[in-house]
Amino acid sequence: MVFAQLADAFSFCTSPDVRHVRTTADPPMAPEESLKMLKGGNRRFVDGRPLGARTKDAARRQLVDQGQAPHTAIIGCADSRAPLETIFDAMPGDLFVLRNAGNTCTHAEGSMVGSLEFATGKLGSRLILVLGHTNCGAIAGATKTYLEAKVPQKAGSALQGLLQDLGAVAEQAVQEAGPGASADEVTARAVKVNVYHTMSFLLRFSESIRSAVREGTVQIQGGIYNLETGSVDFLGALPTQTELLDSTMAIPPSMVEAGEARGKHGVRTGADSAVPKDVALKMLKAGNERFAAGAPTATQTSGPMRKALVQCGQAPHSAILGCADSRVPVDTVFDAMPGELFVLRNAGNTCTHAEGSMVGSLEFCTGKLGSRLILVLGHTKCGAIAGATQTFQAGGEKAPGSALEGLLQGLSVVAKEASEELGPGALQEELAAHATKVNVFSSMNFLLKYSEPIRELVRKGDLDIQGGIYHLETGRVEFLGRSPQQAELLAAEGTLPPSMALGTVRTTSDGPMAPQAALKLLKVGNERFVVGAPKAGKVHSSMRETLATGQAPHTALVGCADSRVPLETVFDALPGDLFVLRNAGNTCTHAEGSVLGSLEFCTGPLKTRLIFVLGHTSCGAIKGATSTFLSGQKTKVPQALDALLQGLGSVVSDAQKELGKKATEEQVAAHAVKLNVFHTMNFMLKYSEPIRQKVRSGELEIQGGVYDLQTGRVEFLGASPSQAKLVAAEGAVAPSLKSKMQGA
C-alpha cells in the first residue's frame, strides 16, 4: 500500500497531465474520451486513490484567466451522499454540474435544458451524463406517493408537486417490475426509469441538443451511482434515442411564449392571421407533446381574453373531428386555449349518421373561419368501434331497432374492411384496433368524396386533411398523415353527402337511361333501404311541379300487391323513377292484357329500358297455389281467386319436379317464388312482339329478383335462362287477347 501511494505521489509530481486543468485553451474533447475519463475517475474513487483534489493556485488562476471548457455536463441528484466531482475524481474545470432532487427536468426544465445548451454550445462540452443513484429519497417519495394515491390530489407544496409529477416514472416502473413487486423493488426500478426519463426530456425539448446528437458531436449517456459500493453503472445511450431525434419541440413547454403561440390577445381571435396548415399541424404535435409530458402551458382564460373572443370573433387554426368518448377531451389532449380548435365530436368520429352536420360544419370552419387543417382523430379502445366489430362478427342483417344499432351497423363496414386487411384468424381485439385506423381514413375519405368546397381547398393546397389516433394508455397522438386515397378521390367527381342529396326527379327532359345504369340504381337504393339510410323521402314542391310536365321512369316494375312489399320504398326511389305494376303473385296470367299493354306503353312512349319482375319470400299467392296444387282439389264453381291459384299451378308443378317428390310443401312454395319470376319474364318474351324486338335489339333488358321480407334485401336473379330461346322463336298473341280477336 505504501509503495502504491508513493507511486501515485511520484506520478502527481512528474506528470503535468494529472495536474492540468481544462480551459478554453484546450480543444473540445470527444465524447468517447470524456466517458473514458469519467470511468477512470470513478475507478480511482472506488479504489481510494483520488487525484483530482490536488490543485495549485496557478491552476485556479488559469481557470479564471482562460475560462472554462468542461469535457462533460452532468445532471445529478442534490443528495449530499452523491458529490459528483468527488465520485468521478475530477479536477476543477472538468465537469459542468447541474443538481436537483431526483436529477430531473420536471420542475426546472428551462433552467436545466438552458444550462445544458450553454454547456454544449458556448463551453464546448461533448458529453451529457444523467446520473441517478440508489436509495434516492426523491424517487422513493414519488413511488410511495404514486402507490398510495387512490385519488389524485392537488399538490399542497412544491415538494408534493415534484413527487406527483415524478409519478409517471413510478407508474412505468410498476409496469416494468410486474405484478407482485414490492415497493423497494419498484423504487429501484424507478431510479433507472427516471434517468431515461430525463434523457428523453432533453432530446424532446431542445433543438440544439437534439441537432448535436443527430450530427454525432454530442452524446447523452445515463448512469446510476451505487451509494454502497461507490461505483457508477454506466447505462449507455437512451434505447429510444433514434425515435426521439424526430421530435419537433424547439424549447421546453414551460418556456413557450404565450403571446407568439396564442395570438395577439393571448387567445386566437379573428384579429390574428390564418395559420398555415403545416404550422397548424406542428402546433398540434407540440401541444400533444406537452400534454403527454405532463407540462401543459394552456392557462385559464382571463376576462380580457374572453372579451377579445367575443369582439374579434374566432379564428381556429385547426378543425378536429374526434370521438365523443369522455376520456378524449380534444382541447386538453392538444394543450389548446379557447379559440384554437374548432371541435366536432360524435361516437366513433364518423360522418356516417351525421354527415350533413359534420360536413357542413367543416365547410363553415375551413371557409368562413379560415382554418387550414382538418384532423380526424380516433382513439384506442373506442367503444363505438368495438361495438361495430361485434356487430360485424355476429353477422346477419336486420333493421336497426335504435339509432345506436343504426350507428353500429353503419360502422360495421369499417370492421369488414379491417377484417379483409388482417385476414382470417384475427382476434376481436386486433380487429377492433385495426378498425380504429381504418375508420379514421374512412372519415377522411368521406370528406374528400362528398364536399366540393373541401375538395377544392385541398386541391389548391389551401387545406390539409390529416388523421391521427390518440392512445389512451400514453396520452400521445399517433399522427397518420393523409389518406392513401386522397389523390384518387380528388380526381373523381364529387357529390353531396348521401342523406343530403335530394336528387332530381326524372322527367321527359331526361334522356333514356341505359338498362345497366337503371339496374345499378335499383341495387344501390335497395342497399340504402337495408341499412336504414334512405334518402328518397325528401321531396319538395318544385319536384312535384316538375313531375307535372311528364314522366320518364328508368325502370318498369312488376311486383306483388302484398302490403309488406312497397316497391318504391324497397328501392329507395324518388317519384318519377319507377313505373309500377302490382298484382297478387306478380304474374301476367290473369291480367295479361293490362300488364303487357302497360309495359309496352312504358318501354315505348316513355322510353324505359329496364323491366324488373320482383317476387318475394313468403308470398301468399304462391303458398295458396302450392297448397291447391298439392291437394289435387279443384273448385267446381271457381271464384276469381281460385282461378288465379290454379293458373299458378304450372309454376308449382315445375317447382315440385325440380325439387323431387320428397320436398315439403314449404320448400316447394319457396322454390316456386323464384320460378314464378322467370315465368312472368318468359310470358312477356313470348306474348309481346314490341318487347321481344327491343330485347332482341339490345334496347331493353328484362331482369328478375326476389325480395326477402326478413332482411329487406333483393336477390337479383338476372335475365331468364330461356330468354335467348324465346327471343329467337316466333311470337304469339296473349291467350286472353287471342280469344277476343277470334270473337271479333
Side-chain angles (χ1 to χ4, degrees):
M1 175 65 72
V2 174
F3 290 106
Q5 291 176 340
L6 290 173
D8 286 341
F10 178 77
S11 175
F12 165 72
C13 295
T14 59
S15 175
D17 291 337
V18 174
R19 296 287 297 168
H20 179 70
V21 290
R22 286 189 55 78
T23 69
T24 53
D26 298 296
M29 184 177 292
E32 296 81 6
E33 188 63 26
S34 298
L35 186 62
K36 184 178 179 181
M37 289 190 68
L38 292 180
K39 291 181 177 180
N42 180 243
R43 190 178 304 112
R44 291 194 302 274
F45 169 72
V46 172
D47 292 342
R49 299 184 293 107
L51 300 175
R54 302 172 185 175
T55 59
K56 288 185 176 181
D57 183 61
R60 289 191 293 273
R61 286 198 300 271
Q62 277 185 305
L63 286 170
V64 174
D65 296 338
Q66 298 181 11
Q68 61 176 320
H71 60 74
T72 299
I74 300 182
I75 295 182
C77 185
D79 193 300
S80 62
R81 297 168 294 177
L84 302 187
E85 290 87 350
T86 304
I87 288 171
F88 294 107
D89 189 29
M91 293 285 290
D94 282 350
L95 305 180
F96 188 87
V97 176
L98 305 169
R99 297 174 66 176
N100 64 19
N103 44 277
T104 176
C105 292
T106 306
H107 279 255
E109 50 194 37
S111 171
M112 289 295 183
V113 177
S115 298
L116 289 172
E117 289 180 353
F118 172 72
T120 56
K122 181 70 174 177
L123 302 183
S125 301
R126 294 293 176 257
L127 177 65
I128 297 174
L129 178 71
V130 178
L131 186 69
H133 67 91
T134 59
N135 299 313
C136 178
I139 297 300
T143 303
K144 181 180 180 182
T145 298
Y146 172 78
L147 294 176
E148 293 180 351
K150 303 298 181 183
V151 179
Q153 297 178 351
K154 185 176 181 180
S157 65
L159 174 59
Q160 289 178 358
L162 171 65
L163 298 183
Q164 286 181 6
D165 283 348
L166 282 172
V169 169
E171 181 179 16
Q172 183 178 339
V174 168
Q175 294 173 352
E176 292 184 5
S182 66
D184 289 342
E185 291 172 329
V186 172
T187 299
R189 172 77 64 166
V191 168
K192 182 176 181 180
V193 171
N194 186 51
V195 168
Y196 283 147
H197 188 269
T198 299
M199 295 167 69
S200 173
F201 195 98
L202 298 177
L203 288 168
R204 290 204 311 269
F205 296 120
S206 172
E207 178 57 38
S208 65
I209 292 177
R210 195 163 53 238
S211 178
V213 172
R214 194 183 295 120
E215 294 169 0
T217 56
V218 170
Q219 288 185 13
I220 302 178
Q221 300 267 343
I224 297 175
Y225 170 60
N226 190 308
L227 291 179
E228 294 182 350
T229 66
S231 64
V232 173
D233 177 17
F234 290 89
L235 303 176
L238 184 68
T240 58
Q241 175 173 292
T242 302
E243 175 186 342
L244 292 173
L245 289 177
D246 292 330
S247 176
T248 58
M249 282 293 290
I251 59 177
S254 66
M255 301 182 70
V256 174
E257 284 293 337
E260 180 181 355
R262 306 299 188 187
K264 297 178 181 179
H265 299 282
V267 289
R268 280 196 56 77
T269 69
D272 299 299
S273 58
V275 176
K277 55 184 184 292
D278 56 332
V279 176
L281 183 62
K282 186 176 181 180
M283 290 175 71
L284 291 181
K285 291 181 177 180
N288 177 244
E289 187 65 38
R290 295 193 299 271
F291 167 73
T297 61
T299 59
Q300 293 183 351
T301 54
S302 63
M305 289 179 180
R306 291 190 291 272
K307 185 176 180 180
L309 284 168
V310 174
Q311 293 181 342
C312 302
Q314 60 177 318
H317 62 70
S318 299
I320 297 184
L321 173 56
C323 185
D325 193 299
S326 63
R327 299 167 295 176
V328 193
V330 175
D331 298 273
T332 305
V333 165
F334 293 105
D335 188 29
M337 289 284 287
E340 292 185 10
L341 303 180
F342 188 88
V343 179
L344 306 169
R345 296 175 67 178
N346 63 21
N349 45 276
T350 175
C351 294
T352 307
H353 282 256
E355 49 199 37
S357 169
M358 291 297 174
V359 177
S361 298
L362 289 171
E363 288 178 356
F364 168 74
C365 184
T366 56
K368 181 69 173 178
L369 302 183
S371 299
R372 294 294 173 255
L373 176 66
I374 295 174
L375 178 73
V376 178
L377 184 68
H379 68 93
T380 58
K381 301 187 183 304
C382 178
I385 296 298
T389 302
Q390 292 175 351
T391 298
F392 164 72
Q393 290 182 320
E397 296 284 351
K398 67 175 184 177
S402 65
L404 174 59
E405 288 182 3
L407 171 66
L408 297 183
Q409 286 182 7
L411 284 172
S412 65
V413 177
V414 170
K416 179 181 179 182
E417 183 178 343
S419 177
E420 291 172 351
E421 292 183 3
L422 291 180
L427 299 176
Q428 181 173 324
E429 186 175 351
E430 295 173 330
L431 182 58
H434 188 55
T436 296
K437 182 176 182 179
V438 173
N439 185 51
V440 168
F441 286 131
S442 178
S443 293
M444 296 165 68
N445 293 341
F446 193 99
L447 299 176
L448 290 166
K449 184 175 182 180
Y450 291 119
S451 173
E452 190 55 42
I454 288 176
R455 286 158 49 85
E456 184 61 22
L457 287 172
V458 174
R459 196 180 288 120
K460 289 163 54 180
D462 293 335
L463 176 67
D464 199 5
I465 302 179
Q466 297 266 342
I469 296 176
Y470 171 65
H471 289 260
L472 293 177
E473 304 84 351
T474 65
R476 297 191 183 279
V477 172
E478 174 190 356
F479 290 88
L480 303 176
R482 301 182 181 93
S483 166
Q485 296 178 261
Q486 177 169 300
E488 176 187 346
L489 291 170
L490 289 177
E493 184 177 354
T495 60
L496 281 172
S499 68
M500 299 185 67
L502 292 176
T504 55
V505 292
R506 289 186 57 78
T507 67
T508 51
S509 62
D510 297 298
M513 183 178 290
Q516 287 302 310
L519 185 63
K520 183 178 180 180
L521 285 178
L522 294 181
K523 291 181 177 180
V524 172
N526 178 241
E527 184 63 29
R528 291 195 301 269
F529 167 72
V530 169
V531 300
K535 67 178 184 180
K538 300 178 180 179
V539 181
H540 48 73
S541 59
S542 63
M543 296 168 70
R544 291 190 292 272
E545 293 168 1
T546 301
L547 283 170
T549 64
Q551 61 175 319
H554 61 69
T555 300
L557 267 173
V558 177
C560 185
D562 193 301
S563 63
R564 299 168 295 176
V565 193
L567 301 185
E568 289 88 351
T569 304
V570 167
F571 293 106
D572 189 30
L574 281 166
D577 284 348
L578 306 179
F579 188 88
V580 177
L581 305 170
R582 296 175 68 177
N583 61 27
N586 45 276
T587 176
C588 294
T589 306
H590 283 261
E592 50 199 37
S594 169
V595 173
L596 288 183
S598 299
L599 290 172
E600 288 175 0
F601 168 73
C602 187
T603 57
L606 300 186
K607 300 180 181 179
T608 301
R609 295 295 176 254
L610 176 65
I611 295 175
F612 195 80
V613 179
L614 184 68
H616 68 91
T617 59
S618 302
C619 178
I622 296 297
K623 284 184 175 181
T626 302
S627 178
T628 299
F629 174 80
L630 294 178
S631 67
Q633 296 179 354
K634 291 187 178 181
T635 306
K636 294 182 179 179
V637 185
Q639 299 177 354
L641 173 59
D642 297 317
L644 170 65
L645 299 183
Q646 288 180 7
L648 288 171
S650 62
V651 173
V652 178
S653 176
D654 291 342
Q656 186 185 48
K657 290 177 183 177
E658 291 186 9
L659 295 180
K661 292 185 178 181
K662 292 184 178 181
T664 64
E665 181 175 328
E666 185 178 359
Q667 291 172 327
V668 172
H671 190 52
V673 168
K674 182 176 181 179
L675 294 188
N676 185 50
V677 169
F678 288 135
H679 183 270
T680 300
M681 296 163 68
N682 294 342
F683 193 97
M684 299 173 194
L685 290 166
K686 185 175 181 180
Y687 293 117
S688 172
E689 186 58 34
I691 289 176
R692 190 166 52 251
Q693 287 182 357
K694 287 184 174 63
V695 173
R696 188 183 296 121
S697 66
E699 296 178 52
L700 176 67
E701 287 189 16
I702 303 177
Q703 298 263 349
V706 176
Y707 170 66
D708 191 315
L709 290 179
Q710 290 186 326
T711 67
R713 291 196 181 279
V714 172
E715 177 189 1
F716 291 85
L717 303 176
S720 167
S722 305
Q723 177 172 295
K725 177 182 177 182
L726 292 171
V727 169
E730 186 177 350
V733 179
S736 64
L737 293 177
K738 184 176 181 180
S739 61
K740 291 180 181 179
M741 293 173 62
Q742 289 175 345

